[in-house]
Amino acid sequence: MSHSNKTNFTNPSTFILLGIPGLESAHVWISIPLCTIYTIAVLGNLTILFIVKREPSLHEPMYYFLCMLAVSDLVLCTSILPKMLSIFWFNSREIYFSACLTQMYFFNCFAITESGIFVAMAFDRYVAICHPLRHSTILTNRVVLKIGLAVVLRGCLLILPFPLLASRWTYCKTNIIPHTYCKHISVVNLACADFRASSYYSLSVTFFVPSMDVSFIAMSYIQILRAIFSLPTKDAQLKSIGTCSSHLCAMLVFYIPDIFSSVMHRIGNTMPLYLLILIANVYLLVPPMLHPIIYGVRTKQIRDRLLALFTHKRT
């Protein structure tokens, strides 16, 4: 395997993913928690999908959106972790240019899609609490399907320029990517052309989309809180807050690592590269693991079905 970093080649057919530079000797040890996180994420999200599909009483908008979140989490972590583990376990660092662009597209697309799903879930909670009598007529199965398609289509279209622009540049600096996966900015930084269009577009999407989504979520929850605190009894208020708690926890798990990762990369010149890479991996892998745990623990309907499932198996 050639790890050439010469400048006398143009548009290599493969790139070399270094993994975590500076921690090569610890790759096997680092892979253990990462593989554990991935296993929990896959099993947890598949369990959510299985329970919702199996239980007719959960065939409601809230759980449909939860299934969309589970599918998004599965694609998000699966798009990067198998290749990452092959680097850590088998030193298989080569990745075809087309495969690199495909990986870049999928994990960015579903990160944007996941943010949109949280907006849809906030809208569902808004309708359920502020207009409970009209919930079933506003959020019909047809409307939920349209919202889901719109969220996926938004992610697909917004991220499409990432690989399209990246495929246009000429690469003649090096074919070595100092990362565990094909992060967009790490790839375009290898171009010897003027790649400012890619950089500016990536920066715009990174800040504009989460900011817009968080704004919509905040507006929904302002209305939700107003409705909750206007309820006549404290028990009714606590019950309404409880229906939103899982969604709030899942959003915090998703957005806080995202914000932290973005801030760390902006001040990256003052931090070791291996720490930035570890933070980027945590942002993509930890939320898919925690989301099914949050919903399994904090959502009574799912918790009850899960306990019934295991109790039935033991019986």
Side-chain angles (χ1 to χ4, degrees):
M1 182 185 300
S2 175
H3 287 207
S4 172
N5 62 354
K6 297 178 181 179
T7 59
N8 60 353
F9 65 84
T10 301
N11 291 343
S13 60
T14 60
F15 283 115
I16 307 297
L17 291 167
L18 289 186
I20 306 178
L23 296 179
E24 288 87 354
S25 60
H27 274 178
V28 174
W29 295 107
I30 293 171
S31 72
I32 295 173
L34 292 180
C35 186
T36 303
I37 289 171
Y38 179 63
T39 302
I40 295 172
V42 170
L43 292 177
N45 285 292
L46 288 177
T47 300
I48 292 289
L49 292 171
F50 175 75
I51 289 175
V52 174
K53 182 179 185 301
R54 189 170 181 265
E55 182 55 55
S57 65
L58 299 182
H59 294 177
E60 299 176 358
M62 173 182 173
Y63 301 103
Y64 290 147
F65 289 132
L66 179 56
C67 287
M68 294 178 197
L69 181 65
V71 171
S72 179
D73 278 337
L74 286 170
V75 176
L76 190 62
C77 57
T78 301
S79 64
I80 65 167
L81 200 68
K83 179 59 184 178
M84 193 186 306
L85 292 177
S86 73
I87 296 171
F88 293 162
W89 290 346
F90 310 113
N91 203 33
S92 176
R93 303 187 178 193
E94 287 189 337
I95 183 170
Y96 286 108
F97 182 60
S98 58
C100 187
L101 295 183
T102 301
Q103 185 190 63
M104 177 200 303
Y105 177 76
F106 271 95
F107 76 76
N108 280 295
C109 172
F110 279 88
I112 296 294
T113 298
E114 192 151 317
S115 184
I117 292 170
F118 282 121
V119 176
M121 296 173 88
F123 178 65
D124 169 67
R125 292 298 85 204
Y126 162 74
V127 176
I129 292 175
C130 298
H131 305 282
L133 299 179
R134 299 173 55 199
H135 183 261
S136 59
T137 57
I138 293 175
L139 283 173
T140 62
N141 289 345
R142 187 181 183 87
V143 171
V144 170
L145 178 60
K146 287 181 178 179
I147 291 174
L149 290 175
V151 166
V152 173
L153 187 61
R154 184 189 74 151
C156 293
L157 293 179
L158 282 175
I159 299 302
L160 190 59
F162 278 36
L164 291 181
L165 288 172
S167 64
R168 292 181 55 193
W169 309 133
T170 300
Y171 296 88
C172 58
K173 293 180 181 178
T174 180
N175 67 336
I176 296 176
I177 301 174
H179 216 293
T180 53
Y181 57 87
C182 291
K183 190 175 179 68
H184 176 256
I185 196 64
S186 299
V187 174
V188 298
N189 274 336
L190 303 181
C192 54
D194 183 359
F195 58 85
R196 283 180 296 179
S198 283
S199 182
Y200 291 156
Y201 184 77
S202 171
L203 194 62
S204 299
V205 170
T206 300
F207 283 99
F208 174 72
V209 174
S211 299
M212 181 179 66
D213 289 350
V214 169
S215 297
F216 283 131
I217 292 169
M219 287 189 291
S220 296
Y221 271 92
I222 288 172
Q223 298 301 317
I224 288 171
L225 290 175
R226 285 179 179 175
I228 287 175
F229 289 120
S230 66
L231 293 173
T233 65
K234 192 169 184 179
D235 287 343
Q237 292 176 359
L238 291 175
K239 184 177 180 180
S240 297
I241 291 174
T243 63
C244 300
S245 61
S246 300
H247 180 231
L248 287 170
C249 291
M251 283 193 305
L252 291 175
V253 163
F254 178 77
Y255 285 114
I256 288 178
D258 182 18
I259 295 169
F260 186 69
S261 178
S262 298
V263 171
M264 290 300 100
H265 276 83
R266 296 297 169 265
I267 60 173
N269 292 334
T270 63
M271 297 182 64
L273 179 60
Y274 68 83
L275 186 57
L276 293 175
I277 294 174
L278 287 173
I279 290 171
N281 289 331
V282 166
Y283 157 58
L284 288 176
L285 297 175
V286 170
M289 176 191 70
L290 292 181
H291 287 157
I293 296 175
I294 290 169
Y295 279 98
V297 171
R298 299 192 64 87
T299 305
K300 185 177 184 301
Q301 293 87 338
I302 292 179
R303 185 172 66 248
D304 290 346
R305 301 309 184 280
L306 188 60
L307 291 173
L309 179 65
F310 284 107
T311 302
H312 175 71
K313 283 187 175 181
R314 285 198 299 270
T315 303

